[in-house]
């Protein structure tokens, strides 16, 4: 399922079998699978752990999961279940001590998601805005030990328009740790521009399901680029 600009009332369901879809992307050469528990993001705790564990067990490629992960115990359980990286969003804003402790214990298995609307961080499944400037907040997270970020411009997510290249570039320049780009990516050219900007990677979602981006062609194109 995909949302449009983070709107839970504007969703598109592409399949009712997440495991089948995960295996499909693995077979087509995906180097990593990005999973978001949308129910968990909105409710504050993971809601689809059974299927997440099933996917982690079945795949040979690494997986990363976000959505409702706000406690150290949950992080530990997910890593034990085979998830390679956990993504913290709301917890980073509301309880940075948890992030600091998670980084101390789990190091590079922790990613913080910087989900921004008009330059300010949004939380609780993107439903709640904050007054935290995205760039300044990211710098603060580096200081507590975060070693990797995912940056998403919510207004671009699921729109198939284009990423917010300027904001992404600003984020990459602001911190000297890896930044993964997400939101609005809908062509191979977008991926090439993001590579030039200096992101570590890109999360492609809706564009794969609609056919705007062919995964095999994209992977080959990026290898050549």
């Amino acid at each position: 399922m995909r949302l449009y600009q983070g709107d839970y009332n504007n969703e598109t369901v592409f399949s009712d079998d997440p495991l089948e879809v995960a295996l499909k992307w693995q077979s087509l050469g995906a180097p990593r699978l990005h999973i978001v528990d949308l129910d968990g993001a909105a409710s504050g705790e993971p809601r689809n752990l059974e299927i997440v564990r099933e996917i982690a067990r079945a795949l040979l490629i690494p997986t990363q999961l976000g959505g409702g992960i706000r406690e150290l115990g949950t992080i530990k359980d997910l890593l034990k279940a085979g998830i390679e990286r956990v993504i913290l969003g709301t917890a980073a804003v509301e309880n940075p001590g948890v992030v600091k402790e998670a980084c101390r214990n789990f190091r590079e298995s922790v990613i913080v998601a910087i989900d921004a609307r008009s330059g300010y961080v949004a939380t609780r499944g993107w439903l709640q805005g904050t007054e935290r400037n995205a760039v300044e907040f990211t710098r603060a997270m580096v200081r507590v030990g975060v070693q990797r970020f995912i940056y998403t411009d919510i207004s671009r997510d699921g729109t198939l328009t284009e990423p917010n290249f300027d904001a992404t570039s600003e984020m990459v320049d602001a911190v000297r740790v890896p930044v993964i780009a997400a939101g609005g990516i809908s062509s191979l050219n977008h991926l090439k521009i993001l590579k030039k900007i200096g992101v570590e990677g890109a999360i492609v979602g809706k564009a794969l399901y609609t056919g705007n981006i062919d995964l095999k062609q994209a992977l080959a194109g990026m290898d050549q680029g």
Side-chain angles (χ1 to χ4, degrees), residues 21-89:
V21 172
L23 291 169
K24 170 190 172 183
W25 295 128
Q26 176 178 263
S27 71
L28 291 174
R32 180 181 302 274
L33 187 70
H34 176 78
I35 308 170
V36 179
D37 184 342
L38 292 173
D39 300 313
S43 68
E45 61 182 10
R47 294 291 192 183
N48 295 283
L49 288 180
E50 185 176 343
I51 185 61
V52 166
R53 291 190 183 100
E54 191 176 349
I55 291 172
R57 286 194 299 266
L59 293 191
L60 300 176
I61 59 174
T63 56
Q64 59 191 41
L65 172 71
I69 304 170
R70 300 177 190 173
E71 297 181 359
L72 287 173
T74 304
I75 296 172
K76 186 175 181 180
D77 290 344
L78 289 169
L79 295 177
K80 281 186 175 180
I83 296 295
E84 188 204 34
R85 296 174 179 169
V86 294
I87 303 163
L88 307 178

Side-chain angles (χ1 to χ4, degrees), residues 71-145:
E71 297 181 359
L72 287 173
T74 304
I75 296 172
K76 186 175 181 180
D77 290 344
L78 289 169
L79 295 177
K80 281 186 175 180
I83 296 295
E84 188 204 34
R85 296 174 179 169
V86 294
I87 303 163
L88 307 178
T90 298
V93 176
E94 299 183 355
N95 195 351
V98 167
V99 178
K100 185 176 183 178
E101 192 66 21
C103 291
R104 182 182 295 120
N105 285 279
F106 308 116
R107 300 184 181 276
E108 290 200 14
S109 293
V110 176
I111 304 176
V112 164
I114 306 297
D115 303 317
R117 184 180 283 115
S118 302
Y120 292 88
V121 176
T123 62
R124 298 187 174 270
W126 302 352
L127 297 172
Q128 184 172 311
T130 74
E131 296 182 357
R132 302 297 298 269
N133 175 273
V135 171
E136 292 305 316
F137 177 68
T138 305
R139 288 181 175 137
M141 286 292 100
V142 171
R143 290 194 290 271
V144 302

Side-chain angles (χ1 to χ4, degrees), residues 165-185:
F165 294 116
D166 290 340
T168 304
S169 179
E170 182 181 11
M171 188 65 66
V172 170
D173 291 341
V175 294
R176 297 301 175 186
V177 298
V179 175
I180 299 168
I185 301 168

Side-chain angles (χ1 to χ4, degrees), residues 13-24 51 54-55 209:
V13 177
F14 290 99
S15 173
D16 59 2
D17 190 338
L19 177 58
E20 180 182 46
V21 172
L23 291 169
K24 170 190 172 183
I51 185 61
E54 191 176 349
I55 291 172
Y209 293 97

